Amino acid sequence: MSQDFHAPAETGWHVDTLAVRQALPRSQYGEHSEALYLTSSFVQPDSETSAHNFAHPADGYTYTRTANPTVTSFEQRLAAMEGAEAAIATASGMSAVLLMAMGLLKTGDHVICSQSMFGSTIKLMGTDMARFGIETTFVPQTDAEAWRAAVRPNTRLLFAETPTNPLTDLCDIAALAEIAHNAGALLAVDNCFATPVLQRPLSLGADIVIHSGTKFLDGQGRVMAGAICSSRKLVDECFNPIIRAAGMVLSPFNAWVVLKGLETLSLRVKAQCAQALELARWLEQQPQVERVFYPGLASHPQHELAMRQQNGLGGAVLSFTVKADSPEQGRARAFHVIDSTQLCSITANLGDVKTTITHPASTSHGRLSEEQRQSAGVVQGLIRVAVGLEHLDDLKADLLRGLSTLA
Ligand SMILES: *Cc1c(COP(=O)(O)O)cnc(C)c1O
């Protein structure tokens, strides 16, 4: 059964309360909903104050690339929900990954990543970082021994994502934190799929949490956003100096949208998880379905770890394979099920209140060779569903339309 996380010591408030209340103080007008400061710069009362604020950005706002009150409110709220000392908002999830790399790594450093990370993360941490003399080793997601064996004297960072897309493989965050810290390295966890409603990686020993606010945090598919949550020291010394110069900042408008999204995150995610569990159980009973991948099912190989690490919840993303005799037939059948839907959106986004459906082998994993896909388990008959808030009976009927008419 899911439980509320313990309240942080400072306020005594539970996470659900902080999700609604944590923000900068109201302005002199007493607005009830947090203000949207849609401004690129801030007027200084006099030159002396201006000089001070430019030298000490924490004391007063000057320019939105440096800091903005709406963005600060979002950072404070997300940090509170993750149990982090601080957060820094970025223009997208990928710019959070870039900022982390720029803030922590230098030429000659080594990184260990799961081989099942988000596709753009694999490209950025592999191909792109290699151009700057940073080497990344990719290891199997679930195999802690492979992570341990990949450690070198120059390993600076371990970077994991749990659960993964689309097969919902987990990694044991506490075990990876121990491997990282024994090696004198840091552990970063992409918490995009789980959100702080399911798991708070910092409480399990991770040092850094990466977010794409584009997914569940917004939850209604409106804006791009990202964030890094970590210690105050890492934010102040490693990340803030870079972002102020490099400028991959979150726009105040997008920050405001995601700030308001956080207020309903817990309700949405818990409801979407409950629907996903019911849908996964139903899919397991359909004769045309070969296998369902969902951490909330007892049949998931890491079900026990999922229940322990994810607050008793399986998440809102599941995938399943349709039965087929060949990859060609699997692809045709998956396309038939997807194209027979009238309700689910055929789109790559996830975490939305609108259910989305995709064919990973021809979208997120389309650039891999058939052999690489087979070894990653992303077969042609695989379908991913990111479950939203529509009525469960309507979702079942939508999937059944294709499943019951397979050739
Ligand atoms: C979408 C996604 C990202 C990238 O986020 P953007 O906001 O699209 O840049 C990173 N990690 C995971 C797990 C994602 O799903």
Side-chain angles (χ1 to χ4, degrees), residues 91-97 116-121 159 161-165 190-193 210-215 223-226 348-350 384:
S92 66
M94 287 318 302
S95 54
V97 178
S116 323
M117 302 286 284
F118 186 66
S120 300
T121 303
F159 189 16
E161 182 186 311
T162 177
T164 58
N165 177 31
D190 182 329
N191 207 25
C192 178
F193 271 59
I210 294 287
H211 267 293
S212 166
T214 317
K215 312 290 169 56
V223 299
M224 307 287 304
N349 199 21
L350 65 99
R384 188 196 78 187

Side-chain angles (χ1 to χ4, degrees), residues 312-358:
L313 297 168
V317 180
L318 62 85
S319 57
F320 64 97
T321 45
V322 288
K323 285 180 185 158
D325 297 328
S326 65
E328 293 73 28
Q329 190 185 39
R331 183 181 173 100
R333 289 188 164 179
F335 277 21
H336 176 75
V337 171
I338 294 169
D339 292 344
S340 299
T341 60
Q342 296 169 3
L343 184 59
C344 297
S345 313
I346 306 176
T347 179
N349 199 21
L350 65 99
D352 200 296
V353 295
K354 294 182 172 73
T355 297
T356 62
I357 190 163
T358 58

Side-chain angles (χ1 to χ4, degrees), residues 23-305:
L24 285 181
R26 298 184 180 109
S27 80
Q28 72 270 35
Y29 299 118
E31 68 281 350
H32 191 211
S33 174
E34 292 76 14
L36 167 51
Y37 291 95
L38 198 57
T39 179
S40 51
S41 71
F42 298 83
V43 178
Q44 308 297 306
D46 52 61
S47 304
E48 200 57 58
T49 313
S50 173
H52 178 88
N53 288 345
F54 270 86
H56 305 95
D59 290 348
Y61 292 98
T62 55
Y63 189 60
T64 283
R65 174 154 46 74
T66 308
N68 174 286
T70 309
V71 177
T72 306
S73 285
F74 166 66
E75 291 168 340
Q76 286 189 356
R77 187 169 289 179
L78 183 64
M81 293 172 74
E82 282 289 356
E85 286 175 10
I88 184 160
T90 56
S92 66
M94 287 318 302
S95 54
V97 178
L98 176 63
L99 178 62
M100 172 175 72
M102 289 182 74
L104 293 181
L105 305 172
K106 61 179 187 322
T107 302
D109 283 345
H110 175 245
V111 179
I112 309 171
C113 266
S114 156
Q115 66 192 19
S116 323
M117 302 286 284
F118 186 66
S120 300
T121 303
I122 290 183
K123 175 173 184 298
L124 184 67
M125 296 308 297
T127 325
D128 297 336
M129 285 301 137
R131 289 176 49 227
F132 301 97
I134 295 160
E135 203 185 333
T136 300
T137 305
F138 293 96
V139 296
Q141 168 84 355
T142 55
D143 183 356
E145 282 318 306
W147 289 80
R148 199 189 308 275
V151 169
R152 301 180 193 168
N154 57 339
T155 303
R156 268 287 277 152
L157 179 70
L158 275 63
F159 189 16
E161 182 186 311
T162 177
T164 58
N165 177 31
L167 294 174
T168 71
D169 285 334
L170 275 73
C171 53
D172 186 331
I173 296 173
L176 291 189
E178 196 187 321
I179 294 169
H181 297 157
N182 284 343
L186 299 177
L187 173 65
V189 175
D190 182 329
N191 207 25
C192 178
F193 271 59
T195 83
V197 178
L198 270 65
Q199 93 194 348
R200 298 206 293 167
L202 301 181
S203 72
L204 298 168
D207 304 282
I208 293 165
V209 168
I210 294 287
H211 267 293
S212 166
T214 317
K215 312 290 169 56
F216 288 98
L217 306 190
D218 172 13
Q220 292 169 70
R222 298 164 293 192
V223 299
M224 307 287 304
I228 303 178
C229 303
S230 69
S231 66
R232 162 74 46 207
K233 187 173 152 70
L234 278 180
V235 165
D236 287 352
E237 292 175 15
C238 297
F239 305 135
N240 244 329
I242 303 265
I243 199 170
R244 282 181 187 147
M248 64 283 250
V249 292
L250 183 59
S251 91
F253 181 84
N254 291 2
W256 183 82
V257 171
V258 183
L259 178 73
K260 304 310 282 181
L262 289 179
E263 295 178 356
T264 55
L265 181 72
S266 173
L267 282 178
R268 282 188 282 108
V269 168
K270 284 176 186 164
Q272 288 172 247
C273 287
Q275 300 238 88
L277 177 60
E278 287 306 311
L279 199 63
R281 285 179 175 153
W282 175 82
L283 280 166
E284 266 194 329
Q285 287 160 11
Q286 301 312 304
Q288 308 85 353
V289 171
E290 184 179 60
R291 186 167 166 198
V292 182
F293 301 85
Y294 182 67
L297 292 174
S299 61
H300 191 283
Q302 296 163 296
H303 176 65
E304 209 184 311
L305 172 64

